Amino acid sequence: MSLLRPRTVVHAHCDLPCGVYDPAQARYEAQSVKMMQEKYQSNEDPVYRTRAIMIIEQRAQFAKEHLWVLWTDYFKPEHVEKYPHLHDLFWRATKAAGAGGAKGNTDPESGQKLLDLIDEIAEIFWETKGGKPS
Amino acid sequence: MSLLRPRTVVHAHCDLPCGVYDPAQARYEAQSVKMMQEKYQSNEDPVYRTRAIMIIEQRAQFAKEHLWVLWTDYFKPEHVEKYPHLHDLFWRATKAAGAGGAKGNTDPESGQKLLDLIDEIAEIFWETKGGKPS
Amino acid sequence: MSLLRPRTVVHAHCDLPCGVYDPAQARYEAQSVKMMQEKYQSNEDPVYRTRAIMIIEQRAQFAKEHLWVLWTDYFKPEHVEKYPHLHDLFWRATKAAGAGGAKGNTDPESGQKLLDLIDEIAEIFWETKGGKPS
Amino acid sequence: MSLLRPRTVVHAHCDLPCGVYDPAQARYEAQSVKMMQEKYQSNEDPVYRTRAIMIIEQRAQFAKEHLWVLWTDYFKPEHVEKYPHLHDLFWRATKAAGAGGAKGNTDPESGQKLLDLIDEIAEIFWETKGGKPS
Amino acid sequence: MSLLRPRTVVHAHCDLPCGVYDPAQARYEAQSVKMMQEKYQSNEDPVYRTRAIMIIEQRAQFAKEHLWVLWTDYFKPEHVEKYPHLHDLFWRATKAAGAGGAKGNTDPESGQKLLDLIDEIAEIFWETKGGKPS
Amino acid sequence: MSLLRPRTVVHAHCDLPCGVYDPAQARYEAQSVKMMQEKYQSNEDPVYRTRAIMIIEQRAQFAKEHLWVLWTDYFKPEHVEKYPHLHDLFWRATKAAGAGGAKGNTDPESGQKLLDLIDEIAEIFWETKGGKPS
């Protein structure tokens, strides 16, 4: 980042064709979820709150979809062998993005829980790639 | 990021509520475009090629949409004042994602051109945020 | 067209292949936005109002998308040269369709402002086509 | 409007709240269909042709959806009483937008047939509104 | 099937290629509509209720779309000749899924009315297939 | 249901509020996939084949999405305890709907493999419901 010129905007360049997967895509959406939950808490206007609920709903859905794609499309049998809890982790993460989790929930803790699970997934993801490029 | 543990997956945390914008979202899609263009070139199977054209079409469209959102929703009048070519840059970038640009185009150069324009936008984006977090 | 403020924005048949662009597509959506804002004001039922907010959200989004398509896909460099404020006009119009504008807004003035900006765009659009067929 | 076959189908401003329905929305899509069919005929590049088939597919689908909305949402029992063939006309028009009609069809005649049926619908539509504003 | 009102609407395996149409697809959505209407009635939490209204809106829309597809794509002229009220039945069913019907409606009776109309359609559908496989 | 491998997967009416989940929704889409693969094999027209590839792509995607929803939203921890291979079964089924499976594949065997995995899921699903209503 010398000279402030961002050379790589995100760590989506891996050394080999990576299929352009990145847990970051789910994370953006989960961040929006949490942010809208916080904004919901600090604004009592009913129109604002209705919009916030709508946006939480959509963004939680998008987070869920990005996680599903990552689970089915990126991960391979050898990863599951090495990380036997991977399926369960994704299951809990997608549940955390759904009803009973962050969806329909105006408590930012539910958004944070989703973010934490995505971070756990990201850790495994970058390990499978031999570390995250700095 | 010591010990290769990714703490922040993407640079979406800015110091203040950032609205969760990031040119990276467009860039993921543009990378898919370019990769599919390369794969098209190296595979002559007609079914494969038809799928590649479909995916290029979709992904170029998504790149375009992410750019539009960034342009309209993130940037403010003071940014336009400081970067007077900003509108034109976005116009050229979204055209580079459309027909006449990367869409319907199997030449990876068109995907690269789109990536380059997104990188120009990213540079401005991170400057408006006081530099990209390392 | 200078004096004649267009009464009817739309006209799909042009004499030559027009690429089937027309600012009317955005205008339909903006009209729905304004109408739902008016209906919101005149109906206090909470279910009705929730639906109205949802529909305003969707329709404002569609208006925005039609405007983006028109901006990137229809207009050419020679148009921008002739109408140097074109980029800025589209930027303001798409902002008027977004949060801070008509989206999440139950005041019909915000819908009207969006309609006015679409009409400004329509005026330029039809000038680039040599006048609107009567 | 009996003699004057409408040349311009669309007209968004009606004098009274019109519910913002207009057969023009379907017509735009049908025009795209026919235009892409013509372009398909005049361009033998396989990538171009694949894209053309994709776009015909999408646009024919959009035309169909606009027609369905118009049929179910705009028209009322009194209209059906006055125009007893209305249901059948919409059925034929939506079939003309589907497989067996314009979809998956590269012959511009199939696009024209869809346009003609939309024009028949438009004629009835504007009659129910007491004539089309000039 | 005249006497036996179908208890189970759905049955995907038909003996011959059936084009994979089935009124059950609309019925699933209508069931969701009715269930969310019931849940709305039994839960006064405003966030829950806003979500319920959103989901009713979406699911009623999906039911409508499945019905449209069935009407236009599955049924053939000989069916309409044999069941002359078919068009009108679909028209009433899709209206029952729209505003004025189940959409934007929190009364489970509106969901039930939609289900009843789908069941009438299903009865005809299975008759056209020579009876529903047991 | 132990001996009786379900012949008909679908059954929407359960005796109690079932949440309106049903593996049949995925199965409809998988049937479309297989049928389009068969039609692809028996029709050499290039336009027809391009459409078939597009439809296989879409329908395989829908099958995948229905499976994801079922996995995350319907199944509960007690089910996973009883059926420890459930996660893996869904993983293989969604992979069978993706690239490397039925998507982008014109061989009907790939569609059949997807159908078989959905039938395995359906068997478990109906067991969790105490058997499928006849």
Side-chain angles (χ1 to χ4, degrees):
Chain A
M1 192 150 292
S2 53
L3 295 175
L4 285 177
R5 165 81 192 269
R7 297 194 134 220
T8 58
V9 176
V10 287
H11 298 306
H13 296 262
C14 46
D15 41 351
L16 286 182
C18 63
V20 197
Y21 297 107
D22 195 324
Q25 291 184 297
R27 202 177 202 287
Y28 288 123
E29 306 300 347
Q31 281 181 296
S32 293
V33 167
K34 190 186 170 194
M35 194 160 301
M36 290 313 297
Q37 291 170 330
E38 285 166 354
K39 289 190 170 179
Y40 179 95
Q41 297 301 339
S42 61
N43 191 326
E44 303 207 348
D45 176 61
V47 176
Y48 188 91
R49 289 191 147 193
T50 296
R51 276 196 81 217
I53 297 167
M54 285 166 52
I55 294 172
I56 291 167
E57 188 86 8
Q58 285 180 331
R59 294 294 148 179
Q61 180 63 25
F62 290 162
K64 212 175 179 179
E65 290 174 6
H66 279 300
L67 290 170
W68 281 331
V69 167
L70 200 63
W71 179 57
T72 293
D73 293 356
Y74 171 71
F75 285 102
K76 299 285 170 297
E78 60 265 29
H79 300 140
V80 173
E81 206 171 316
K82 190 166 172 200
Y83 303 95
H85 69 303
L86 192 71
H87 289 337
D88 195 63
L89 177 57
F90 269 99
W91 197 51
R92 285 182 292 123
T94 50
K95 277 188 175 296
K103 204 184 266 187
N105 197 328
T106 57
D107 180 349
E109 283 216 4
S110 66
Q112 186 57 52
K113 191 182 155 195
L114 173 58
L115 283 165
D116 290 345
L117 286 162
I118 293 172
D119 285 347
E120 274 192 58
I121 287 168
E123 203 167 348
I124 292 174
F125 176 83
W126 288 111
E127 280 183 20
T128 65
K129 292 194 157 299
K132 192 166 158 212
S134 56
Chain B
M1 196 155 291
S2 52
L3 295 174
L4 285 179
R5 162 84 188 270
R7 300 200 130 213
T8 59
V9 176
V10 287
H11 299 306
H13 295 264
C14 47
D15 42 349
L16 285 182
C18 63
V20 197
Y21 296 106
D22 195 324
Q25 292 184 296
R27 204 178 201 287
Y28 288 123
E29 306 299 348
Q31 281 181 296
S32 293
V33 167
K34 191 187 168 194
M35 194 159 302
M36 290 313 297
Q37 291 170 329
E38 285 166 355
K39 290 190 170 180
Y40 178 95
Q41 297 302 338
S42 61
N43 190 327
E44 302 207 350
D45 175 61
V47 176
Y48 188 91
R49 289 192 147 191
T50 297
R51 277 196 79 217
I53 297 168
M54 285 166 51
I55 294 172
I56 291 167
E57 188 86 9
Q58 285 181 332
R59 294 294 147 178
Q61 180 63 26
F62 290 163
K64 212 173 178 181
E65 291 175 4
H66 278 301
L67 290 170
W68 280 331
V69 167
L70 200 65
W71 178 59
T72 293
D73 294 356
Y74 169 72
F75 285 102
K76 300 284 170 298
E78 60 265 29
H79 300 139
V80 173
E81 205 171 317
K82 191 167 171 201
Y83 303 94
H85 69 304
L86 192 72
H87 290 336
D88 194 63
L89 177 58
F90 269 100
W91 197 50
R92 285 181 292 124
T94 51
K95 278 188 176 295
K103 204 184 267 186
N105 196 329
T106 55
D107 180 349
E109 284 218 3
S110 66
Q112 185 57 52
K113 194 184 153 191
L114 173 58
L115 283 165
D116 290 344
L117 286 162
I118 293 172
D119 285 347
E120 274 192 59
I121 287 169
E123 203 166 348
I124 292 174
F125 176 83
W126 289 111
E127 281 184 18
T128 66
K129 294 196 156 297
K132 194 168 157 211
S134 55
Chain C
M1 194 159 285
S2 50
L3 283 179
L4 289 165
R5 170 69 182 284
R7 300 198 129 217
T8 61
V9 177
V10 293
H11 193 100
H13 298 260
C14 46
D15 41 351
L16 285 182
C18 62
V20 198
Y21 297 107
D22 195 324
Q25 291 183 296
R27 203 177 201 287
Y28 288 123
E29 306 299 348
Q31 280 180 297
S32 293
V33 167
K34 190 186 170 194
M35 195 160 300
M36 291 312 297
Q37 291 169 330
E38 284 165 355
K39 291 189 169 178
Y40 178 96
Q41 297 302 338
S42 61
N43 190 328
E44 303 206 349
D45 175 61
V47 175
Y48 188 91
R49 288 192 149 193
T50 297
R51 275 196 82 216
I53 297 167
M54 285 166 52
I55 294 172
I56 291 167
E57 188 86 9
Q58 286 180 332
R59 295 292 147 181
Q61 180 63 26
F62 290 161
K64 213 175 179 179
E65 291 173 6
H66 279 301
L67 289 170
W68 281 331
V69 167
L70 200 64
W71 179 57
T72 294
D73 294 356
Y74 170 72
F75 284 101
K76 299 285 169 300
E78 60 266 27
H79 301 140
V80 173
E81 206 171 316
K82 189 165 172 199
Y83 304 94
H85 69 303
L86 191 73
H87 290 336
D88 195 63
L89 177 58
F90 269 99
W91 197 51
R92 286 181 294 123
T94 51
K95 277 187 177 296
K103 205 185 265 186
N105 198 328
T106 56
D107 180 349
E109 284 218 3
S110 66
Q112 186 57 52
K113 192 184 154 193
L114 173 58
L115 283 166
D116 291 344
L117 286 163
I118 293 172
D119 285 346
E120 274 191 58
I121 287 169
E123 204 165 347
I124 292 174
F125 176 83
W126 288 111
E127 281 184 18
T128 66
K129 293 196 158 297
K132 192 163 160 218
S134 54
Chain D
M1 191 156 289
S2 50
L3 283 180
L4 289 164
R5 173 67 181 283
R7 300 195 130 221
T8 61
V9 177
V10 294
H11 192 102
H13 299 259
C14 46
D15 42 351
L16 285 182
C18 62
V20 197
Y21 297 106
D22 195 324
Q25 292 184 296
R27 203 178 200 288
Y28 288 124
E29 307 299 348
Q31 281 181 295
S32 293
V33 167
K34 191 187 168 194
M35 195 161 301
M36 290 313 297
Q37 290 169 331
E38 285 166 354
K39 290 190 171 179
Y40 178 94
Q41 296 302 339
S42 61
N43 190 328
E44 302 208 349
D45 175 60
V47 176
Y48 189 91
R49 289 191 147 192
T50 297
R51 276 196 80 215
I53 297 167
M54 287 166 52
I55 294 172
I56 291 167
E57 187 86 9
Q58 285 181 333
R59 294 295 147 178
Q61 180 63 25
F62 290 162
K64 213 174 178 180
E65 291 174 5
H66 279 301
L67 290 170
W68 281 330
V69 167
L70 201 64
W71 179 58
T72 294
D73 295 356
Y74 170 71
F75 284 101
K76 300 284 170 298
E78 60 266 29
H79 300 140
V80 173
E81 206 171 317
K82 190 165 172 201
Y83 304 94
H85 69 305
L86 192 72
H87 290 336
D88 195 63
L89 177 57
F90 269 99
W91 197 51
R92 285 181 293 124
T94 51
K95 278 189 177 294
K103 205 185 265 187
N105 197 329
T106 56
D107 180 349
E109 284 217 5
S110 65
Q112 186 56 52
K113 192 184 154 192
L114 173 59
L115 284 165
D116 290 344
L117 287 162
I118 294 172
D119 285 346
E120 274 192 57
I121 287 169
E123 205 165 347
I124 292 175
F125 176 83
W126 288 112
E127 281 184 17
T128 66
K129 293 195 156 299
K132 191 164 159 219
S134 55
Chain E
M1 191 158 286
S2 50
L3 283 179
L4 289 164
R5 170 69 182 284
R7 300 198 131 218
T8 60
V9 177
V10 293
H11 194 100
H13 297 261
C14 45
D15 43 350
L16 285 183
C18 63
V20 198
Y21 297 106
D22 195 325
Q25 291 184 297
R27 203 178 201 287
Y28 288 123
E29 306 300 347
Q31 280 181 296
S32 293
V33 167
K34 191 187 169 193
M35 194 160 302
M36 290 312 298
Q37 290 169 331
E38 285 166 354
K39 290 190 170 179
Y40 178 95
Q41 296 302 340
S42 62
N43 190 327
E44 302 208 348
D45 175 60
V47 176
Y48 188 91
R49 290 190 147 194
T50 297
R51 276 196 81 216
I53 297 167
M54 285 166 52
I55 293 172
I56 291 166
E57 187 85 10
Q58 285 180 333
R59 294 293 147 180
Q61 181 62 26
F62 290 163
K64 212 175 180 180
E65 291 174 5
H66 279 301
L67 290 170
W68 281 331
V69 167
L70 201 63
W71 178 58
T72 294
D73 294 355
Y74 170 71
F75 285 101
K76 300 286 170 297
E78 60 265 29
H79 301 139
V80 172
E81 206 171 316
K82 190 166 172 200
Y83 304 95
H85 69 303
L86 192 72
H87 290 335
D88 195 62
L89 177 57
F90 269 99
W91 197 51
R92 285 182 293 124
T94 51
K95 278 188 176 295
K103 204 185 265 187
N105 196 329
T106 57
D107 179 350
E109 284 217 4
S110 67
Q112 185 57 53
K113 192 184 153 192
L114 173 58
L115 283 165
D116 291 345
L117 287 162
I118 293 172
D119 285 347
E120 274 192 57
I121 287 169
E123 204 166 348
I124 292 174
F125 176 82
W126 288 112
E127 281 184 17
T128 66
K129 293 195 158 298
K132 192 163 158 218
S134 55
Chain F
M1 190 156 290
S2 50
L3 282 180
L4 290 163
R5 172 69 181 284
R7 302 197 128 217
T8 62
V9 177
V10 294
H11 193 102
H13 298 260
C14 46
D15 42 352
L16 286 182
C18 62
V20 198
Y21 296 107
D22 195 324
Q25 291 184 297
R27 202 177 201 289
Y28 288 123
E29 306 300 347
Q31 281 181 296
S32 293
V33 167
K34 191 186 169 195
M35 194 160 302
M36 291 312 298
Q37 291 170 332
E38 285 165 354
K39 290 190 170 179
Y40 178 94
Q41 296 301 339
S42 61
N43 190 327
E44 302 207 350
D45 175 61
V47 175
Y48 188 91
R49 290 192 146 192
T50 296
R51 276 196 80 216
I53 298 168
M54 286 167 52
I55 293 173
I56 291 167
E57 187 86 9
Q58 285 181 331
R59 294 294 148 179
Q61 180 62 26
F62 290 163
K64 211 174 180 181
E65 291 174 5
H66 279 301
L67 289 171
W68 281 331
V69 167
L70 200 64
W71 178 58
T72 293
D73 294 356
Y74 170 71
F75 284 101
K76 299 284 171 296
E78 60 267 27
H79 300 139
V80 173
E81 206 171 315
K82 190 166 172 200
Y83 304 93
H85 69 303
L86 192 72
H87 289 337
D88 195 62
L89 177 58
F90 269 99
W91 197 51
R92 284 181 294 124
T94 51
K95 277 188 177 296
K103 205 185 265 186
N105 197 329
T106 56
D107 180 350
E109 284 218 3
S110 66
Q112 186 56 53
K113 193 183 153 192
L114 174 58
L115 284 165
D116 291 344
L117 287 162
I118 293 172
D119 285 346
E120 274 191 57
I121 287 169
E123 204 166 347
I124 292 175
F125 176 83
W126 289 112
E127 281 184 17
T128 66
K129 292 195 157 299
K132 190 161 159 221
S134 54

